[in-house]
């Protein structure tokens, strides 16, 4: 489709641009949702709906995450009543293809855990899943615009809450890579989520690169 504006400039590839706009708006809507609406479980369900645009979507629940050995990610989520999820999106994956990988942190709300954040501005921590939203939007764009390259998106979804079961400063966890991590501050949760996501992705997909 070609469209002319008042200066007779041609706008080409309108469908591509509209698909891109849809992807961006979906990303924005995810980031804007309050934490009582968007938690790891409800977020994962929304992701499953994206199968209808051609994405292959797989959700790992807490049992599967634990069986795989993502103890670093699980440590972040253990203070929350909302179970964690890991969502895997695949687009144009073929045998022996080395995909490009997009990884995103999906902390649907970040209180800081036992290392509690100051109350002022804490409501903005609904945006701590913004990295995961960018991954979701990018995968939507890949599917709608039928990108020819193999792409995988991985998002780790957790809620970081203070609780009697929450991870404590000084706890030591063993990540999927086999390395131990001493948690000095429970508000440094993002690196714990991404550490296991990176290890899982590297082992499973043998990627060309990871972002």
């Amino acid at each position: 489709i070609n469209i002319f504006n008042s200066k007779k400039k041609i706008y080409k590839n309108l469908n591509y641009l509209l698909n891109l706009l849809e992807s961006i708006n979906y990303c924005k809507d995810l980031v804007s949702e309050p934490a009582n609406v968007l938690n790891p479980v409800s977020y994962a369900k929304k992701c499953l709906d994206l199968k209808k645009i051609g994405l292959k979507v797989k959700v790992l629940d807490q049992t599967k995450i634990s069986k795989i050995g993502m103890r670093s990610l699980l440590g972040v989520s253990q203070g929350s009543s909302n179970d964690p999820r890991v969502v895997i999106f695949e687009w144009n994956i073929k045998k022996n293809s080395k995909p490009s990988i997009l990884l995103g942190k999906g902390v649907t709300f970040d209180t800081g855990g036992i290392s509690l954040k100051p109350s002022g501005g804490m409501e903005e921590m609904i945006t701590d899943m913004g990295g995961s939203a960018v991954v979701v939007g990018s995968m939507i764009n890949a599917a709608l615009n039928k990108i020819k390259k193999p792409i995988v998106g991985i998002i780790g979804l957790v809620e970081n809450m203070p609780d009697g079961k929450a991870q404590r400063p000084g706890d030591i966890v063993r990540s999927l890579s086999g390395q131990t991590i001493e948690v000095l501050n429970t508000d440094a949760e993002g690196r714990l989520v991404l550490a296991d996501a990176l290890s899982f992705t590297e082992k499973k997909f043998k990627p060309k690169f990871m972002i």
Side-chain angles (χ1 to χ4, degrees), residues 65-66 68-76 78 167 173-176 178 196:
I65 293 168
S66 180
I68 290 168
M70 296 186 187
R71 289 174 289 272
S72 176
L73 183 151
L74 287 170
V76 177
Q78 68 190 39
Q167 186 165 247
V173 294
R174 187 177 298 276
S175 70
L176 181 59
D196 277 348

Side-chain angles (χ1 to χ4, degrees), residues 94-115:
K94 298 172 184 176
K95 190 176 181 180
N96 298 324
S97 63
K98 287 193 172 185
S100 302
I101 307 288
L102 304 175
L103 298 110
K105 177 183 76 165
V107 183
T108 57
F109 194 78
D110 182 20
T111 64
I114 297 297
S115 304

Side-chain angles (χ1 to χ4, degrees), residues 6-69:
S6 59
K7 296 181 181 178
K8 296 184 179 180
K9 180 179 178 181
I10 300 176
Y11 287 94
K12 296 182 179 179
N13 302 322
L14 183 63
N15 287 333
Y16 176 89
L17 295 172
L18 289 173
N19 287 336
L20 182 60
L21 183 63
E22 183 176 340
S23 306
I24 291 170
N25 285 338
Y26 195 98
C27 172
K28 287 181 176 181
D29 287 344
L30 284 175
V31 175
S32 297
E33 287 283 23
N36 62 322
V37 173
L38 196 74
N39 59 59
V41 176
S42 63
Y43 193 165
K45 287 180 180 178
K46 287 178 71 73
C47 292
L48 285 171
D49 291 340
L50 297 174
K51 287 181 178 181
K52 64 188 178 185
I53 63 172
L55 286 170
K56 182 178 178 182
V57 185
K58 183 177 182 180
V59 175
L60 306 179
D61 61 16
Q62 181 163 328
T63 301
K64 291 177 182 175
I65 293 168
S66 180
K67 188 174 180 180
I68 290 168

Side-chain angles (χ1 to χ4, degrees), residues 100-169:
S100 302
I101 307 288
L102 304 175
L103 298 110
K105 177 183 76 165
V107 183
T108 57
F109 194 78
D110 182 20
T111 64
I114 297 297
S115 304
L116 193 66
K117 290 178 179 291
S119 59
M122 195 193 288
E123 71 280 358
E124 294 179 8
M125 287 298 99
I126 64 171
T127 67
D128 210 26
M129 40 61 67
S132 67
V134 171
V135 172
V136 175
S138 298
M139 296 307 298
I140 291 172
N141 181 54
L144 293 179
N145 280 319
K146 296 185 169 36
I147 303 300
K148 294 179 181 179
K149 296 179 180 179
I151 305 174
V152 171
I154 307 275
I155 56 175
L157 306 179
V158 298
E159 186 177 48
N160 189 20
M161 300 289 283
D163 181 78
K165 295 179 181 179
Q167 186 165 247
R168 297 158 289 254

